[in-house]
Amino acid sequence: MTQQGVRWGADQVLALAPDDASRKAGSKLGVAGPWSEAGSSDEGTVWGLCKGSGSRPYQTVVDIADAAGPAYKCSCPSRKFPCKHALGLLLLWAAGEDAVPPGNVPEWAEQWTAGRRRRTAEQRGAGASGSGSGTADPEAARRRAERRAERITAGATELEQRLADLLRGGLAAAEQAGYGLWEETAARMVDAQAPGLAARVRELGAIASSGPGWPVRLLEECALLHLLDQGWLRRERLPESLAATVRSRVGLPGSADGPPARDRWLVLAQYDTADAKLTTRRIWLHGAGSGRTVLLLSYGAAGRAPELALPVGLAVDAEVAAHPGAGQLRAALGERFAAPEPTRIRPPGVTTAQAAARYGEALRDDPWLESVPVTLEEVIPVPDGDSWQLADAGSDTALPLTPVALGRPGLWRLVALSGGAPVTVFGECGHRGFTPLTAWPRTGGPAVALC
């Protein structure tokens, strides 16, 4: 249930955009001009008619109180979630009651909202009743798991031989072979039902001839891949938590098995990465009571954004359940008890030196970890030759920004927000540097999404 007096800010709305193009197009529609019959309800429904290029306006409705995050429906042909019309409507709603006043939900919006909530309730009921029904055949599931483990073992053994051949023949052979060598090997790992190994093999193909020092980088990645192979082949000798991490890294699906933990979860950041087949959405949460930081993953088919979206800077009263694995932060979102609301919650910050040390400690539990979530307190973005870094305001230490961060427009939002003054920045700290995702001004203003 959402309350009329609790409306999101524009930054929280724009943080839901699946890409920069949607963010810009949605901003243009966040004014009263193209909208008619806009309204909102105490139950968390926002609706309106948006004038488009056709003779009939687009019917747009948003369910803010949906249990899995904001849900959207628009009669436009866009395949993005949310589309520009949903973003524009939410921006208009965020402006206040004058733009989107309280009212009675029209029939077309009520039908969709009621139907969606009914289906959600039925799915929950079916899940609860099916969890203890015992209809699945455990013996068949065990046999399937054994067959897949055998395939992965065969694939890992073959991969070990290919790595040995590469090192025996010299790394120069990788430069001469190009992508073909790695694509063929990755395809073999896919056949072995080890998508995690396949993904790491494909990454090797981009390292050769990638600039000065590429042989060292290739050797490092080959060593990590060899370590993962050996971890799988000797998984029975590993502690259970580390064995679970190896299974996850190899690509075996896992489900959340930890007890649900209810908390007020601050939405720290949300961003998407995409390849030819899949869009992956990463959402970072910080528990106000527990102090835990967890990661939610959501997926969408190629060209479609995942449906799960949470507004950055707001707090969600919800349950999450942890996935197994040493040092793993991934969790599954469970029941939500209220719509996202504004909050003064802020994650505790550390220095740049402490952030680097935290990443080093995390590598002991998961040697394949690319980065860890960290909040830097009192840092200033400063140029460093052709690059940028975040410097501690009270010391002479700093963290360089990653190449990914340098190519994002969020860098300039961070520089403008700072204006030379210290800010609090949440992001991911790893061996390539720091990637800023969200920032808060020193004056205590709302969160600003940087990705």
Side-chain angles (χ1 to χ4, degrees):
M1 184 80 66
T2 187
Q3 299 176 353
Q4 285 297 328
V6 181
R7 300 201 179 208
W8 305 346
D11 287 333
Q12 280 75 45
V13 173
L14 292 175
L16 297 171
D19 50 42
D20 284 334
S22 298
R23 188 177 292 111
K24 294 177 182 177
S27 297
K28 294 179 180 179
L29 293 175
V31 294
W35 293 96
S36 61
E37 301 182 26
S40 59
S41 73
D42 286 335
E43 288 72 35
T45 304
V46 183
W47 64 88
L49 303 177
C50 186
K51 180 177 175 56
S53 56
S55 58
R56 301 181 62 182
Y58 295 123
Q59 295 178 332
T60 308
V61 56
V62 181
D63 184 3
I64 300 170
D66 185 85
Y72 320 92
K73 174 67 175 179
C74 185
S75 59
C76 76
S78 175
R79 300 178 65 191
K80 296 181 179 180
F81 293 98
C83 68
K84 62 181 181 180
H85 305 103
L87 290 170
L89 177 60
L90 285 177
L91 286 172
L92 196 65
W93 169 76
E97 291 188 3
D98 291 342
V100 182
N104 296 321
V105 184
E107 183 179 359
W108 58 268
E110 177 65 26
Q111 287 180 349
W112 174 78
T113 304
R116 181 180 180 86
R117 292 176 180 174
R118 183 179 62 254
R119 290 190 297 273
T120 300
E122 291 172 351
Q123 291 169 358
R124 286 182 176 177
S129 62
S131 59
S133 62
T135 55
D137 183 351
E139 180 61 24
R142 184 188 64 79
R143 290 195 297 268
R144 288 194 298 271
E146 287 181 351
R147 288 195 295 270
R148 181 169 185 180
E150 290 172 357
R151 293 191 186 98
I152 295 175
T153 297
T157 302
E158 179 181 347
L159 182 56
E160 282 292 276
Q161 184 60 51
R162 295 201 176 200
L163 289 175
D165 291 342
L166 172 65
L167 296 178
R168 188 179 298 110
L171 295 181
E175 185 177 25
Q176 297 169 1
Y179 282 99
L181 169 66
W182 305 112
E183 283 299 325
E184 178 194 355
T185 305
R188 296 287 293 168
M189 296 305 103
V190 172
D191 292 340
Q193 294 185 291
L197 292 179
R200 298 190 75 91
V201 168
R202 287 194 179 96
E203 291 175 359
L204 297 180
I207 297 178
S209 303
S210 61
W214 71 261
V216 174
R217 294 193 297 275
L218 180 60
L219 186 61
E220 290 173 346
E221 293 301 321
C222 285
L224 286 172
L225 188 53
H226 166 69
L227 183 64
L228 183 56
D229 273 344
Q230 291 298 313
W232 172 262
L233 296 174
R234 292 170 171 79
R235 59 192 181 282
E236 293 85 359
R237 307 179 192 177
L238 300 177
E240 177 52 36
S241 59
L242 183 56
T245 298
V246 169
R247 289 193 292 269
S248 173
R249 291 295 183 183
V250 165
L252 282 175
S255 57
D257 63 354
R262 182 175 178 178
D263 207 335
R264 290 192 71 219
W265 298 96
L266 170 65
V267 184
L268 289 171
Q270 172 181 292
Y271 68 96
D272 294 351
T273 56
D275 57 29
K277 297 182 179 180
L278 193 69
T279 298
T280 302
R281 174 164 293 167
R282 291 170 170 81
I283 303 177
W284 286 106
L285 304 179
H286 169 76
S290 63
R292 293 172 55 197
T293 300
V294 299
L295 174 65
L296 306 180
L297 293 181
S298 181
Y299 302 96
R304 296 182 67 93
E307 289 196 22
L308 176 61
L310 296 174
V312 174
L314 301 189
V316 183
D317 183 4
E319 291 181 340
V320 301
H323 280 244
Q328 297 299 299
L329 299 178
R330 186 180 174 187
L333 181 65
E335 183 176 358
R336 282 182 53 197
F337 303 95
E341 296 181 347
T343 179
R344 294 185 177 274
I345 299 172
R346 297 289 183 270
V350 299
T351 65
T352 56
Q354 290 170 330
R358 183 172 295 181
Y359 175 59
E361 293 169 359
L363 288 176
R364 291 183 300 185
D365 290 330
D366 185 354
W368 308 277
L369 192 63
E370 289 288 328
S371 60
V372 293
V374 173
T375 300
L376 299 178
E377 191 171 30
E378 298 284 298
V379 292
I380 304 171
V382 295
D384 179 27
D386 294 333
S387 185
W388 284 78
Q389 61 184 2
L390 292 178
D392 281 314
S395 70
D396 59 355
T397 60
L399 279 176
L401 296 189
T402 61
V404 170
L406 298 175
R408 290 177 175 172
L411 169 61
W412 305 113
R413 289 200 292 271
L414 176 60
V415 173
L417 180 69
S418 166
V423 291
T424 298
V425 183
F426 169 78
E428 296 170 348
C429 180
H431 61 93
R432 293 184 177 88
F434 187 86
T435 302
L437 301 175
T438 306
W440 294 267
R442 195 177 193 180
T443 54
V448 176
L450 305 176
C451 54

